[in-house]
Amino acid sequence: MPVRRTKTQQQRRSVIVLGDWVIDEYWFLVRHHSRIASHTGFVHYRLSSAPKDTVADLCGAGHVARILFELRARDSFYDLYGIGNWNKEDEQLISHLLHARDNPNCEANAACFRFMRKICDTTPDIKMNTLAPDGPTIRVIRQYHRHRGGIEQLNRVDWELEGENLPARILEDLDLPKRPSHPFIIVNDLRKGVITNDVITQALDLYPESTWCIRSKDANPSWLSQVGNRLALLVVAPEVTAKLNPWDTWLTNGSIGKQAIDTIDALPGKNVILLSNHREVAGHLRNSKSDCIAFAVPRRGTPITFLGWPTSMFAVLTDRLIRKDGKLDAEDVIHAAEEVDNFSCVTIPGVQKETEISDPYLGKKIQPKSWKDERKAWSDAKDSRCGFLETDEGLRLDVWRGFTFLPGYIVCIQEKQRIISDIGRGLRTFKSEGRHLSSFRLLLQADPGAGKTFLARSFADALGFHFLRFDITQMLNREDLLEIFDAIATQQANDDKDILVFVDEINATLAGTPVYGAFLSPLEEGFYVRKGRSFSLRPCAWIFAGTNLREGEVKKMDKLSDFESRMTMIERIDFGSLAEAYKKDSERLQREARLEQVYLGAVMIHHFFSDVTKISSAVLKQFGKLDPAESPARKIRGMAEALKDVQYGSVSRINCESWKDATWEKNEDDNIFVHVHFPETLKIGNGE
């Protein structure tokens, strides 16, 4: 999509790409079986790439520069300068990696079966400036295994010297635009030593009227405040957003989520864009009419394409911003999303099939909205006792707003949201470790009937665990406990996928004695004993749940203290424990809990009567009137199931004849209906 230039844009601009320059190599391997080979180790592989297959690409700031180099080649609109960390003797190779993708005579990025790559005679038009002329060039090798028609990453090897410090360099001495100049400074910070307070200060002193675009792996870099109002674009990529939001998702039912709004509001910059590993884009374009943008990018290409898409998104956005003299609108973000997969340099040998689109929101028509309106809708839904929103069509209840802090699970109480997010971060940290040294262990106290099983399953679904469920109350003797460990061992033997084991009613007894002691060795030492033989278990994620874990006789039960000492986290989301946290604001707890009950009531009605889209406001208010201290989740499910003669997609008082405990208000209008909007992919929980 071409950009029409204004008079002020006819002048050539200077663009400085500042940050960590890394060379990535992609090795695609297949199993190799040879009777004459020796010293092969556990597995023998060979490279499956052919000569001239692309196996090398620039990463970090180098990747940004490569994309800008390609975009600029269309019209030579701006001059490019690079500042980074590479050895001076590697500078020629690095500069040729900028254009090798489009130059058939240059094999700087090709699979080379010689010791030296063939580099063309054309010198790329970019001024390169290294801050470490005598230091190392950072190199990353990613090894992939082609197997059964698919591909998996075996490992990653980073070639960089530990503790290597970049020498102090004076930016003014480098080959950069002469002053006075108003360059665009593009920062891609991988936290490998280039971007420091000193470098940022020098750049600002050198170009006080510069325009900045920033992407960093640091969620809150100390130098960011120095940039001030020069910051035209801040892109927060998946490696950071996963720390801010454990579910790594910024959309709820295809719209911008509350967490995205709160996160963006706390960040500086004229334009702020959040990206997720689910290829979601959520942003606030603060100088644009359609200033709220939220959509998911369709998944095209191969799995390797997805690796660099956040950098590609950042680079294309900066190109648009440069061409439009520091301004962005929704059209530019949509354009960047359409272009994002065109700049992947690496393809898998022999694999050209596009990955299928599995997310129901991907590929939908993008409709930018008003940031003010979106923020107000979230605020109104939270502050209203029943969550009803007033619209031109009447009252509306967006049930999907209750799912934003854990996909699929309704939670409106802020303290409960915090606890669930903390658990999510713990599980995500465990899952991202690769080879686990120890298990993740959570002891969770919740009210009876509050949906503990569904909560655990929602964690597993959101983070990609295989889910195993067990209930102590369903076991007849202590021998049944060993079935838990047998099931885990069998699953681990058949599948490498991480397992989340959910053990419900952990405070129940078998034959009159507690079961805590049976889990001590499996949790601490990774083995269990059956008929005198020891069997090993690999680390996995455990969630132990129960009610009233430290009341009455439970305090005296042996091994409970030992069991608790082995926990990674101990959390309590029962109403009594939450009330302790809300001692100074019990009214807010009541309001949030009753709102949660209204959402749950609507979801349960939808579960039993899936065509219902209109519910009388009087009916919905009945769910909010229930006492949160009495753990009404199970009762809410029963009320929904007991509705009679539900027809034509609506529910009113006439359908609630069996609700003997209902307290209807006098003169309450039963004809005020609420249009209920459910998530497009709805799973039933909480009251299970």
Side-chain angles (χ1 to χ4, degrees), residues 324-602:
K324 297 178 71 173
D325 202 27
K327 297 180 176 61
L328 280 181
D329 57 30
E331 180 183 285
D332 298 311
V333 183
I334 295 169
H335 168 78
E338 292 170 344
E339 289 266 303
V340 70
D341 290 326
N342 295 332
F343 297 101
S344 174
C345 187
V346 179
T347 56
I348 304 171
V351 179
Q352 303 299 330
K353 183 180 178 181
E354 292 190 352
T355 299
E356 295 181 359
I357 297 175
S358 57
D359 192 305
Y361 309 119
L362 295 178
K364 287 194 171 184
K365 185 177 180 180
I366 301 166
Q367 297 179 329
K369 299 178 181 179
S370 162
W371 184 267
K372 181 180 178 180
D373 291 346
E374 289 294 293
R375 182 199 279 164
K376 184 177 186 300
W378 279 104
S379 178
D380 289 349
K382 172 186 171 184
D383 293 338
S384 169
R385 182 184 175 204
C386 293
F388 302 159
L389 300 177
E390 294 186 5
T391 69
D392 294 339
E393 291 76 31
L395 295 179
R396 188 182 80 215
L397 180 69
D398 293 335
V399 175
W400 50 266
R401 295 185 188 275
F403 291 89
T404 190
F405 277 86
L406 173 57
Y409 187 83
I410 291 175
V411 52
C412 300
I413 301 173
Q414 286 191 20
E415 178 65 12
K416 194 172 172 183
Q417 291 171 347
R418 181 195 65 76
I419 292 171
I420 286 176
S421 295
D422 286 347
I423 294 170
R425 274 185 278 273
L427 286 167
R428 174 172 285 279
T429 299
F430 168 79
K431 201 168 190 304
S432 65
E433 288 175 349
R435 178 169 292 185
H436 309 300
L437 299 178
S438 61
S439 294
F440 173 87
R441 311 137 185 174
L442 166 68
L443 181 59
L444 182 69
Q445 178 171 296
D447 290 318
K452 298 185 290 293
T453 300
F454 189 79
L455 174 59
R457 190 184 296 276
S458 297
F459 282 131
D461 290 344
L463 298 171
F465 285 91
H466 181 86
F467 185 69
L468 293 177
R469 174 184 179 267
F470 305 94
D471 189 332
I472 301 299
T473 61
Q474 301 300 312
M475 298 178 181
L476 300 177
N477 52 59
R478 299 186 71 81
E479 187 73 12
D480 290 342
L481 287 172
L482 297 179
E483 299 293 336
I484 297 177
F485 311 127
D486 288 343
I488 297 170
T490 300
Q491 182 63 36
Q492 289 180 336
N494 294 325
D495 191 355
D496 290 333
K497 189 174 183 179
D498 286 318
I499 300 172
L500 191 154
V501 183
F502 175 66
V503 183
D504 200 6
E505 304 298 346
I506 187 62
N507 53 323
T509 60
L510 284 178
T513 58
V515 299
Y516 302 112
F519 292 93
L520 299 183
S521 290
L523 291 175
E524 184 76 13
E525 301 172 27
F527 76 89
Y528 68 103
V529 178
R530 178 186 277 278
K531 294 181 180 179
R533 295 182 58 193
S534 294
F535 298 88
S536 63
L537 296 174
R538 296 200 305 270
C540 57
W542 295 80
I543 296 181
F544 300 94
T547 58
N548 302 323
L549 293 175
R550 278 205 166 268
E551 287 190 5
E553 292 300 315
V554 178
K555 296 180 181 179
K556 302 176 183 178
M557 291 180 178
D558 66 339
K559 303 298 183 183
L560 176 56
S561 295
D562 287 346
F563 182 76
E564 288 183 336
S565 69
R566 285 163 170 77
M567 294 296 105
T568 309
M569 302 176 69
I570 299 177
E571 298 290 355
R572 294 175 173 83
I573 59 171
D574 59 293
F575 190 80
S577 297
L578 294 172
E580 287 293 316
Y582 280 79
K583 271 185 176 179
K584 296 181 179 180
D585 197 355
S586 59
E587 183 179 336
R588 180 163 67 92
L589 174 61
Q590 288 285 328
R591 185 171 63 250
E592 293 170 358
R594 293 179 189 278
L595 174 61
E596 192 170 292
Q597 292 168 190
V598 171
Y599 281 148
L600 181 56

Side-chain angles (χ1 to χ4, degrees), residues 199-251:
V199 166
I200 298 298
T201 299
Q202 287 191 55
L204 290 169
D205 290 343
L206 198 58
Y207 304 112
E209 297 185 43
S210 50
T211 302
W212 289 62
C213 303
I214 292 173
R215 176 194 170 197
S216 174
K217 281 195 172 184
D218 189 339
N220 186 26
S222 59
W223 44 264
L224 188 59
S225 60
Q226 296 185 55
V227 180
N229 59 11
R230 304 174 186 85
L231 182 56
L233 173 65
L234 178 64
V235 172
V236 185
E239 55 270 288
V240 176
T241 59
K243 299 174 184 176
L244 300 173
N245 177 359
W247 323 117
D248 192 28
T249 177
W250 297 113
L251 307 186

Side-chain angles (χ1 to χ4, degrees), residues 52-250:
K52 296 191 177 182
D53 278 349
T54 300
V55 297
D57 193 11
L58 289 169
C59 180
H63 190 182
V64 174
R66 195 256 293 169
I67 294 173
L68 292 178
F69 189 90
E70 291 184 43
L71 291 170
R72 189 200 60 169
R74 301 172 184 176
D75 56 11
S76 300
F77 183 53
Y78 46 81
D79 296 319
L80 271 176
Y81 299 79
I83 304 177
N85 46 337
W86 59 82
N87 189 284
K88 188 68 176 177
E89 294 185 4
D90 295 325
E91 192 167 284
Q92 184 184 27
L93 170 64
I94 292 172
S95 64
H96 279 260
L97 283 172
L98 293 169
H99 75 175
R101 181 174 180 264
D102 296 323
N103 188 340
N105 298 317
C106 189
E107 298 179 11
N109 64 346
C112 186
F113 292 83
R114 306 177 305 276
F115 284 105
M116 295 294 291
R117 287 187 173 90
K118 178 184 176 183
I119 298 177
C120 67
D121 296 330
T122 303
T123 301
D125 182 18
I126 180 173
K127 295 179 173 62
M128 304 284 284
N129 298 272
T130 176
L131 300 178
D134 300 320
T137 299
I138 299 176
R139 174 183 177 191
V140 174
I141 297 174
R142 305 173 189 267
Q143 295 183 333
Y144 295 89
H145 179 209
R146 295 179 57 193
H147 181 58
R148 295 179 180 176
I151 184 168
E152 62 178 350
Q153 184 167 341
L154 292 174
N155 54 50
R156 164 179 164 164
V157 182
D158 286 26
W159 282 45
E160 55 182 310
L161 295 181
E162 182 179 359
E164 182 73 11
N165 294 318
L166 294 176
R169 297 296 304 275
I170 307 298
L171 296 190
E172 195 169 4
D173 295 340
L174 303 179
D175 187 4
L176 296 174
K178 304 301 181 185
R179 290 187 290 181
S181 182
H182 307 158
F184 285 83
I185 300 179
I186 317 301
V187 176
N188 196 323
D189 175 26
L190 301 184
R191 299 180 63 185
K192 293 184 179 293
V194 171
I195 305 302
T196 63
N197 288 326
D198 178 61
V199 166
I200 298 298
T201 299
Q202 287 191 55
L204 290 169
D205 290 343
L206 198 58
Y207 304 112
E209 297 185 43
S210 50
T211 302
W212 289 62
C213 303
I214 292 173
R215 176 194 170 197
S216 174
K217 281 195 172 184
D218 189 339
N220 186 26
S222 59
W223 44 264
L224 188 59
S225 60
Q226 296 185 55
V227 180
N229 59 11
R230 304 174 186 85
L231 182 56
L233 173 65
L234 178 64
V235 172
V236 185
E239 55 270 288
V240 176
T241 59
K243 299 174 184 176
L244 300 173
N245 177 359
W247 323 117
D248 192 28
T249 177
W250 297 113

